[in-house]
Amino acid sequence: MNGLAESGALYDRLIVDRARTPLYAGQLEQADVQGEGKNPLCGDKTRVALQMADTHISQIRHQTRGCAICLAAADLMAERLTGLTVPQALDLSHRFFAMLVAEPASALNANTDTPALGPLEAFAPLRAHRARIRCAELPWVALKEALSHVDV
């Protein structure tokens, strides 16, 4: 984990940069599945579209209207999950949720077939800002909805 995340900074440089310049924002013309997450309390909204190659996620794009945390979470999630299998993506999702609500050690104990959280660890300081956890979780809610339509 980088120094900013360890110090409890709410807006890590990576989060700010990815919110300003998302790399995975937009539409997929030939999406196989889609999911949506909404937070009626703050108005954040994320739509996630995936293209599948057998059981692997070949492409992800998101359309996110929300705060910097929500935008960056959607973009970093898309980057991290591209190329993973559905079970790996779901395992990473569980680990991401665990990181947000528990001590980091519990989030790091995972299936050895699943890649590390990597840049997603930038959201670890949200544990100290409980009201903002939902912002980071919203894209993952949309992802889970999308993956519920995939036969594995």
Side-chain angles (χ1 to χ4, degrees):
M1 205 177 325
N2 69 35
L4 284 174
E6 288 173 357
S7 71
L10 181 57
Y11 288 97
D12 180 276
R13 167 65 58 207
L14 178 61
I15 293 171
V16 172
D17 289 347
R18 287 310 272 276
R20 287 183 181 156
T21 313
L23 303 177
Y24 292 84
Q27 295 182 359
L28 279 179
E29 294 299 320
Q30 300 292 323
D32 294 312
V33 292
Q34 295 183 47
E36 191 171 284
K38 297 179 184 176
N39 185 345
L41 296 176
C42 68
D44 287 358
K45 182 178 176 180
T46 299
R47 178 181 297 268
V48 175
L50 290 79
Q51 281 185 345
M52 305 298 298
D54 296 320
T55 61
H56 287 77
I57 299 168
S58 62
Q59 288 190 63
I60 304 178
R61 292 294 179 269
H62 67 91
Q63 294 175 286
T64 303
R65 186 187 77 225
C67 66
I69 291 171
C70 188
L71 282 161
D75 212 59
L76 288 166
M77 176 192 75
E79 177 179 67
R80 197 73 191 110
L81 297 181
T82 300
L84 297 185
T85 64
V86 171
Q88 288 173 325
L90 290 172
D91 187 48
L92 204 61
S93 172
H94 294 298
R95 291 174 49 222
F96 184 77
F97 282 105
M99 176 192 70
L100 292 176
V101 298
E103 290 302 312
S106 65
L108 299 177
N109 299 327
N111 182 337
T112 56
D113 292 337
T114 303
L117 289 171
L120 294 168
E121 290 182 19
F123 296 96
L126 291 180
R127 281 191 307 273
H129 304 277
R130 288 243 184 268
R132 303 309 305 269
I133 289 174
R134 179 72 176 152
C135 302
E137 290 178 337
L138 198 60
W140 296 87
V141 169
L143 174 78
K144 284 182 180 181
E145 181 187 319
L147 292 178
S148 73
H149 302 294
V150 175
D151 294 326
V152 249

